[in-house]
Amino acid sequence: MLTSKKAVHARGLYDFAGDHDNGELTFSAGETLTIVAQDIGEGWWEAKNEAGQQGLIPEAYVQLLEPPEPSFPPPPPPSAPATDHSGAGDWNVQQSAGDDWNARQSAAAGDWNNDAWNSHATDSWGDQAPAPSYTNHNNAGLNNQGFQGGGMQQQASEEGWDDDWDDDNEDNSSNSTTNTSQDFLEDQLPGSGNFGLSAAKRERKQMSQNSDFSKYGTVKKSFNRFSTFAKTGGDAFLMGTVSANVSESDLIKIIDTPEGPAWSYPSQPYTCSIKSPKKESKLKGLKSYIAYQLTPSFSNIQVSRRYKHFDWLHERLEAKFSCIPIPPLPDKALSVSFGSLSTQGVKGGRYEDDFVSERMRQLQLWVDRMVRHPVISQSEVFNHFLTCTDEKGLAKWKAGKRKAEKDEYQGGKFFLTLQTPPNCLDMRDVEKRMEIFCKFVKNMDDNMRNMLQIGHDSRKKHLGPYKREFQKIGGSFKQLADTFNLDSGAHSQNLTAAIDYTGDTYNEIGDMYEKQPKEDLDHMLEVLFEYKGMLSTYPDVLKLHEGAIGKAKECERLKDEGRMPESDVTAVIQRSDVISYGTLAEMNHFQRERVTDYKEMMQKYLSGQIKFYREITQKLETALHRFDNA
């Protein structure tokens, strides 16, 4: 006789604010949880709360209410709090504070009135709560095999190209994180993601507007192992517990400029075009997908890539470059574009020409920004993505993919590769710059939201009310001409014809208003969408830098109290300077790109407006001259 397995329950010993992005479950002390699995490893279990929410919990934060069934593996012993990253137990003093940058953006967000700055989460950690290990629990079960590259010709083995990807269905592939937006053109369209696309699956941390700001614009946070700063390895780098002999080829140079620290730009920049999308299939036609042909200018050799390959690249860039915000990819499920595309981003329309062309165009915008970045464009993983073809063999592609996934200079270790100027930074000057930049980012995000709303309204008026108003005027003139036509006298015919021509002119002007947004306004809105997405990626970067500054200040306090040697504090401050140099260099690059992009955006918009109103003026002048002989 079969008996059902008895559920295992546990009670929370401490409050735990889980990281939703890492699949963790938040619970309170005294809360009863149902244990789903105890074999996750690294001190983590999987549990479900009474509301049905499920996620990972630290084993040491709960106590079982009854012994587990024999089928459960014995849980690992609770891990002791590892607060001493550097060998001195007093160095890592935990601070309790709110974390403004931990506010999550809803995956379904699409309302322009949904202020992403208004959400705020606070983490409070008990002094006696042991710290769970954050070692790769979010990667459990992922397939880390490689995928096979393609070239100018048809893939050598279409079945082999995706064998190492855990999701062969193009519809179900994970999308890269994108910024939220309102459906861009028409109220009935479903798109709510970046560029007016459907919302991506992964969520993005957002900045909060109505919360207390720290000295340079972000909320003060807890610099412990639960923080983003520590989990990304920033704490280990700062305290000197990680080291490596970085080769000359892996070093990334930062230079001093009149505008502050800046990346060293490559002497030979390049471009990369995305063309010739084509529908291909695998598994004898059971699976279909679109392959895009990428051609970097430095090699002129085509490689074939799918959307999920872009998605993989995006994840690798985010994992490696701690102080570089990686812009979000355009979403897979395209729902609307700026003017010409009417294909809905639903199953069955994914292979329509308009759909494919629009997504290719937006991927091109993303690649253009990546190749202009002085660090990303020269990175090994990006070069592998652009150059590895099937002619080099599937094994070579797999080797490059696995090497990128196991890159030793990811997260906090990325700072080991930075070659900074010898000058020490003034911490007060750095904090002042950061305060200004954080205010800049917040205000610019507000500006983007406001301009997008205004632009959206203006576009709707061009397509509807403006056109109708001019055609109403034109129709009234045409009716007047019809009435005047009842007088067949020769003295009236020229006047009647001129009025009738004026009516046609106003009808044509109405049509011009309908078509005008794609000539100027759509490009402006596209740039605004792109920058709104880029701004949404900044919280983690700024949070990491604030963690470094906070840790350096804490070490200085410990030195003043005689609890940390001065030489060790000096070393910590020097390493915090490295993080500051990298962050300031990226801020410098962002501002340079912004100036270039917005100059081009405004020039194109104003040129389009001038041309538009000149054509209207010419049409009205022509109509006016018709009355000279009336």
Side-chain angles (χ1 to χ4, degrees), residues 300 340 342 456 474 597:
N300 289 321
S340 61
S342 59
H456 170 71
D597 292 339

PDB file of all heavy atoms in Angstrom, residues 300 340 342 456 474 597:
ATOM      1  N   ASN A 300      35.431  41.516 -42.151  1.00  0.00           N
ATOM      2  CA  ASN A 300      34.536  41.342 -43.298  1.00  0.00           C
ATOM      3  C   ASN A 300      34.134  39.887 -43.505  1.00  0.00           C
ATOM      4  O   ASN A 300      33.887  39.438 -44.627  1.00  0.00           O
ATOM      5  CB  ASN A 300      35.171  41.895 -44.579  1.00  0.00           C
ATOM      6  CG  ASN A 300      35.243  43.404 -44.572  1.00  0.00           C
ATOM      7  OD1 ASN A 300      34.325  44.078 -44.104  1.00  0.00           O
ATOM      8  ND2 ASN A 300      36.347  43.949 -45.073  1.00  0.00           N
ATOM      9  N   SER A 340       6.227  52.232 -39.193  1.00  0.00           N
ATOM     10  CA  SER A 340       5.908  51.423 -40.350  1.00  0.00           C
ATOM     11  C   SER A 340       5.411  50.036 -40.012  1.00  0.00           C
ATOM     12  O   SER A 340       4.722  49.409 -40.809  1.00  0.00           O
ATOM     13  CB  SER A 340       7.152  51.287 -41.231  1.00  0.00           C
ATOM     14  OG  SER A 340       8.200  50.651 -40.513  1.00  0.00           O
ATOM     15  N   SER A 342       3.280  47.082 -38.475  1.00  0.00           N
ATOM     16  CA  SER A 342       1.963  46.805 -37.909  1.00  0.00           C
ATOM     17  C   SER A 342       1.838  45.369 -37.444  1.00  0.00           C
ATOM     18  O   SER A 342       0.845  44.993 -36.857  1.00  0.00           O
ATOM     19  CB  SER A 342       0.873  47.083 -38.953  1.00  0.00           C
ATOM     20  OG  SER A 342       1.075  46.273 -40.098  1.00  0.00           O
ATOM     21  N   HIS A 456       4.599  60.766 -27.282  1.00  0.00           N
ATOM     22  CA  HIS A 456       3.527  59.799 -27.565  1.00  0.00           C
ATOM     23  C   HIS A 456       2.222  60.525 -27.867  1.00  0.00           C
ATOM     24  O   HIS A 456       1.519  60.204 -28.840  1.00  0.00           O
ATOM     25  CB  HIS A 456       3.367  58.881 -26.354  1.00  0.00           C
ATOM     26  CG  HIS A 456       2.158  57.997 -26.402  1.00  0.00           C
ATOM     27  ND1 HIS A 456       2.049  56.937 -27.263  1.00  0.00           N
ATOM     28  CD2 HIS A 456       1.009  58.024 -25.682  1.00  0.00           C
ATOM     29  CE1 HIS A 456       0.878  56.340 -27.078  1.00  0.00           C
ATOM     30  NE2 HIS A 456       0.238  56.979 -26.122  1.00  0.00           N
ATOM     31  N   GLY A 474     -10.169  71.716 -45.136  1.00  0.00           N
ATOM     32  CA  GLY A 474     -10.174  71.455 -46.578  1.00  0.00           C
ATOM     33  C   GLY A 474     -11.552  71.100 -47.085  1.00  0.00           C
ATOM     34  O   GLY A 474     -11.971  71.555 -48.168  1.00  0.00           O
ATOM     35  N   ASP A 597      24.909  61.604 -29.183  1.00  0.00           N
ATOM     36  CA  ASP A 597      23.597  61.090 -29.572  1.00  0.00           C
ATOM     37  C   ASP A 597      22.532  62.180 -29.582  1.00  0.00           C
ATOM     38  O   ASP A 597      21.717  62.249 -30.510  1.00  0.00           O
ATOM     39  CB  ASP A 597      23.170  59.968 -28.618  1.00  0.00           C
ATOM     40  CG  ASP A 597      24.024  58.722 -28.761  1.00  0.00           C
ATOM     41  OD1 ASP A 597      24.662  58.563 -29.813  1.00  0.00           O
ATOM     42  OD2 ASP A 597      24.061  57.914 -27.812  1.00  0.00           O
TER      43      ASP A 597
END
